[in-house]
Amino acid sequence: MDIDEFYDADPRRRTSRELAYGVGWAQGSPPGRVADLFWVEDTGELYLMFEPIPPNWLPLIDHDDLTRWVEEAQDLAAGAIEAIHDLLHPRHHLAKTERHHPGQSPGTDAYDEKLAVEVLGVIPSKAQVDARLAGWEQALRAPDSIGWLRSRIS
């Protein structure tokens, strides 16, 4: 589902605190998709929000460039477990708050992007999430870190 559909389906999601467990989770090597991981406190949902790799980047960058880009995003977010609204993708910010991201206005390319959401599971407490995801900061840097994540949640 799209990020808008995700928030529209349960009003608790919009008002709940969300904790971020890293940005730049990679799927595949080279990464075909990257995602940010969030836990919604009021619903217990742990979800990935997939951000598109801009198609116009693909002919211009090689595997090493894309790997470096993912690693830089991961380095910025490793350890960021607090709510990070300033780092949210503009489309995610708009869907969550129903307000525009500071510094951007609707009509920009970022507001037109579709952000796919995959709910990985429901984990009732932060302590349980932390236990399931122990070591996520290191796993985030692996070539197929989403595979590691799915194995911890299933």
Side-chain angles (χ1 to χ4, degrees):
M1 73 183 89
D2 180 75
I3 190 71
D4 288 306
E5 296 165 338
F6 175 73
Y7 285 114
D8 289 344
D10 187 336
R12 296 175 298 167
R13 293 172 176 154
R14 274 210 175 85
T15 57
S16 178
R17 181 171 81 137
E18 288 190 29
L19 300 180
Y21 285 87
V23 301
W25 290 89
Q27 183 171 15
S29 182
R33 301 193 321 169
V34 293
D36 303 340
L37 181 64
F38 297 95
W39 178 70
V40 182
E41 187 174 54
D42 291 351
T43 65
E45 294 163 309
L46 187 68
Y47 74 92
L48 287 169
M49 184 189 70
F50 288 92
E51 297 191 40
I53 295 174
N56 57 338
W57 285 18
L58 297 178
L60 302 175
I61 62 175
D62 62 15
H63 173 263
D64 292 337
D65 292 331
L66 188 54
T67 300
R68 268 193 306 281
W69 175 73
V70 169
E71 287 171 355
E72 287 171 9
Q74 292 166 341
D75 286 342
L76 286 174
I81 301 180
E82 295 302 315
I84 56 167
H85 292 290
D86 289 344
L87 298 177
L88 291 180
H89 187 282
R91 191 76 191 92
H92 188 185
H93 188 276
L94 178 62
K96 169 85 173 159
T97 64
E98 298 182 300
R99 294 191 318 261
H100 305 298
H101 193 277
Q104 286 200 296
S105 59
T108 62
D109 291 341
Y111 279 105
D112 296 333
E113 290 179 355
K114 293 288 185 186
L115 301 177
V117 170
E118 177 186 342
V119 177
L120 296 173
V122 175
I123 304 173
S125 73
K126 181 181 180 313
Q128 290 172 312
V129 173
D130 291 343
R132 284 272 186 98
L133 297 181
W136 72 266
E137 295 92 341
Q138 293 76 33
L140 179 64
R141 292 177 173 83
D144 185 21
S145 54
I146 290 176
W148 176 91
L149 180 60
R150 286 192 173 117
S151 72
R152 299 298 294 240
I153 303 305
S154 64

